[in-house]
Amino acid sequence: MKNKKVVVIGGGAGGFFAAINLKEKNPNYHVSILEQTNTLLKKVKISGGGRCNVTHSCFEPEELIKNYPRGEKELLGAFYQFQPQDMVEWLKKRGVRTKTEADGRMFPISDDSQTIIDCFLKDSKRLNINIQKGSAVEKLIPPTDENNNLSKWQIQIKNKPNVEADVVIVSTGSQPKSWRMLTNLGHSISNPVPSLFTMDVKNDVRLKDLAGVSVNNGTVWANDTKLNKENGAVLVTHWGFSAPAVLRLSAWGARELADKNYNFQMGINWIEDTPKNTLKVLKAHREEWRKKQIGTLCPFEIPNRLWKKLIEAAQIDLTKHWASLSNKELDSLTQQLTQGIFKVTGKSTYKDEFVTCGGISLQEVDFKTMKSKILPDLYFTGEVLDIDAITGGFNFQAAWTTAWIASQNI
């Protein structure tokens, strides 16, 4: 069909990327984006603290999929079609250069998410893509057979005339309203629960007055679960714990921790070393720093405020000299350094970068095309699907990849 009419529902990352690539490949198509709010590309704007963590420098699909608690199997073939290196090149062709940080996260060199937004809006204008803000879709009516004289999709929009489409792309993210519309049409939804969240810890004296203190190389785990330990930065907040190691634990444990109603015992190793080696280091410094007060010298790369709190938690006087420390006291301090246990009593969403575990069942989508296996000419991109990743640019990459595949197959 030379002048096919395509409607993209959702003016976020996946929606814009699908529309731009589709229109570029098929200039004669009429492509529209319907966004229910008056703000376009909201998650792009706030991602990475306003810098936009656009993707990650993991360029091998077999390694890349290991960052997806949900969608790993389905995304392998998809990433062979379009992966982070392709996204970097796509942006470069449009004058947007990226940089890679030490942890692999990639940002525009401007360190400003507006650079990505401007790129998308400029392309949309160049390609004459019709963008309609304040267009809340309330119902989707699929094409029926010829006897019912309904050959196109009918899209009902709140307080606006209905829109017809030959093809519909759903890019609405983790939006319950959209999921309800799709379940009414025969799709099924994997139960949605939060994925990236921080841990709430109340009234633990070890954390008092430590908000803002962090370590770069910590390890966290959840007791009595099947979850693996997660390494990386750990940040003490006013309410508990955050930073990459904690967020990775929350992503992999999304369903299991939800089943526990976010009440569990979380372990922290502040120095990413074994108890045996830690005790050895402490004993060595007991000999070397004999006349020094333990509260004034720390043999590990952790903030001094944290070091003092852990000493107190081990019931050691901060003014005590290293030489007078007993083996029992060093054992207790080793425990606090490498095997501290904190009672988590709830969760908090990670600023506005909220990610949901759950969405359209992946068995109902053809990942070679991103087309629905249930309904005609219906495609999906991004987080509306039961796909989510750990923090680091991986969720955006899933959106770019699924949107690109959809655009190439319509």
Side-chain angles (χ1 to χ4, degrees):
M1 187 182 299
K2 186 177 180 182
N3 297 311
K4 189 177 288 188
K5 186 173 184 180
V6 181
V7 171
V8 180
I9 304 175
F16 264 86
F17 203 64
I20 290 168
N21 285 288
L22 176 65
K23 183 72 173 180
E24 197 152 55
K25 186 182 180 188
N26 304 281
N28 293 325
Y29 283 12
H30 184 277
V31 180
S32 298
I33 296 174
L34 304 181
E35 167 55 41
Q36 70 169 350
T37 71
N38 288 313
T39 305
L40 302 170
L41 298 159
K42 181 179 179 181
K43 271 197 173 182
V44 173
K45 181 67 174 177
I46 62 178
S47 163
R51 296 193 297 145
C52 190
N53 182 189
V54 70
T55 188
H56 196 281
S57 63
C58 182
F59 301 145
E60 296 296 330
E62 290 87 353
E63 291 300 313
L64 185 58
I65 60 171
K66 294 178 182 178
N67 298 286
Y68 294 83
R70 267 72 50 183
E72 177 180 354
K73 177 183 174 184
E74 290 79 8
L75 285 171
L76 179 58
F79 285 144
Y80 273 109
Q81 292 194 56
F82 191 91
Q83 55 121 307
Q85 186 66 60
D86 298 309
M87 186 61 192
V88 170
E89 288 300 316
W90 190 93
L91 289 169
K92 185 177 178 181
K93 288 179 181 177
R94 288 157 178 80
V96 178
R97 295 188 175 274
T98 53
K99 63 176 182 177
T100 305
E101 301 203 336
D103 58 3
R105 292 181 302 159
M106 301 191 73
F107 297 85
I109 59 172
S110 65
D111 273 332
D112 188 352
S113 58
Q114 193 63 42
T115 302
I116 305 298
I117 294 172
D118 290 344
C119 172
F120 286 179
L121 294 179
K122 181 180 178 181
D123 255 16
S124 299
K125 185 176 181 180
R126 173 178 63 85
L127 295 166
N128 199 29
I129 293 170
N130 179 31
I131 300 171
Q132 298 182 33
K133 295 186 286 188
S135 298
V137 175
E138 296 197 314
K139 189 175 182 180
L140 288 172
I141 304 172
T144 56
D145 60 37
E146 293 181 3
N147 294 328
N148 290 334
N149 296 317
L150 195 61
S151 60
K152 298 178 185 291
W153 279 91
Q154 306 295 310
I155 304 170
Q156 293 183 5
I157 306 172
K158 185 177 181 179
N159 299 326
K160 290 187 178 182
N162 289 3
V163 172
E164 284 191 340
D166 298 294
V167 177
V168 172
I169 305 174
V170 180
S171 303
T172 49
S174 52
Q175 193 181 96
K177 178 182 172 184
S178 296
W179 286 332
R180 285 194 294 272
M181 282 195 302
L182 293 164
T183 53
N184 290 338
L185 295 175
H187 270 287
S188 54
I189 305 294
S190 299
N191 182 41
V193 296
S195 178
L196 290 181
F197 52 86
T198 60
M199 311 299 183
D200 293 353
V201 178
K202 295 180 180 178
N203 303 320
D204 193 305
V205 294
R206 289 170 292 179
L207 303 183
K208 187 179 179 182
D209 301 323
L210 284 187
V213 167
S214 65
V215 298
N216 292 326
N217 299 300
T219 303
V220 298
W221 63 91
N223 282 350
D224 302 319
T225 68
K226 298 177 181 177
L227 302 174
N228 293 326
K229 293 182 176 181
E230 297 295 335
N231 302 322
V234 179
L235 169 70
V236 181
T237 68
H238 289 289
W239 58 90
F241 294 107
S242 184
V246 174
L247 295 173
R248 281 197 287 270
L249 185 67
S250 77
W252 289 105
R255 295 205 181 280
E256 196 168 350
L257 299 181
D259 289 342
K260 291 179 174 291
N261 198 28
Y262 309 104
N263 281 266
F264 62 97
Q265 302 286 332
M266 187 173 83
I268 298 184
N269 183 329
W270 296 99
I271 58 176
E272 204 177 26
D273 203 351
T274 65
K276 181 179 179 180
N277 195 54
T278 300
L279 182 58
K280 184 179 178 181
V281 171
L282 289 173
K283 286 182 176 180
H285 283 82
R286 180 171 60 182
E287 295 302 316
E288 183 181 350
W289 293 342
R290 295 180 62 81
K291 296 181 180 181
K292 302 292 186 180
Q293 291 181 357
I294 187 171
T296 61
L297 289 170
C298 176
F300 306 102
E301 292 185 8
I302 60 174
N304 197 48
R305 285 163 60 196
L306 174 61
W307 170 243
K308 289 181 177 180
K309 283 287 186 181
L310 296 179
I311 293 171
E312 291 175 340
Q315 297 185 324
I316 301 171
D317 189 330
L318 289 171
T319 63
K320 198 167 187 177
H321 291 90
W322 278 88
S324 61
L325 295 171
S326 68
N327 286 340
K328 185 178 179 180
E329 287 174 320
L330 293 186
D331 284 338
S332 180
L333 183 53
T334 297
Q335 179 80 14
Q336 292 296 331
L337 284 161
T338 64
Q339 295 173 300
I341 301 298
F342 295 82
K343 182 173 175 52
V344 175
T345 56
K347 59 157 180 61
S348 299
T349 54
Y350 183 50
K351 299 179 182 177
D352 293 310
E353 298 177 49
F354 183 59
V355 173
T356 298
C357 156
I360 297 294
S361 174
L362 304 186
Q363 287 71 41
E364 299 172 359
V365 180
D366 180 356
F367 270 74
K368 292 180 180 178
T369 62
M370 300 315 303
K371 189 174 183 180
S372 166
K373 293 180 180 179
I374 294 174
L375 294 160
D377 297 311
L378 178 65
Y379 294 77
F380 301 108
T381 79
E383 208 183 328
V384 72
L385 297 157
D386 185 19
I387 290 176
D388 64 282
I390 65 174
T391 184
F394 300 106
N395 284 295
F396 268 147
Q397 186 56 51
W400 311 139
T401 293
T402 53
W404 189 87
I405 291 172
S407 74
Q408 302 306 296
N409 285 280
I410 293 172

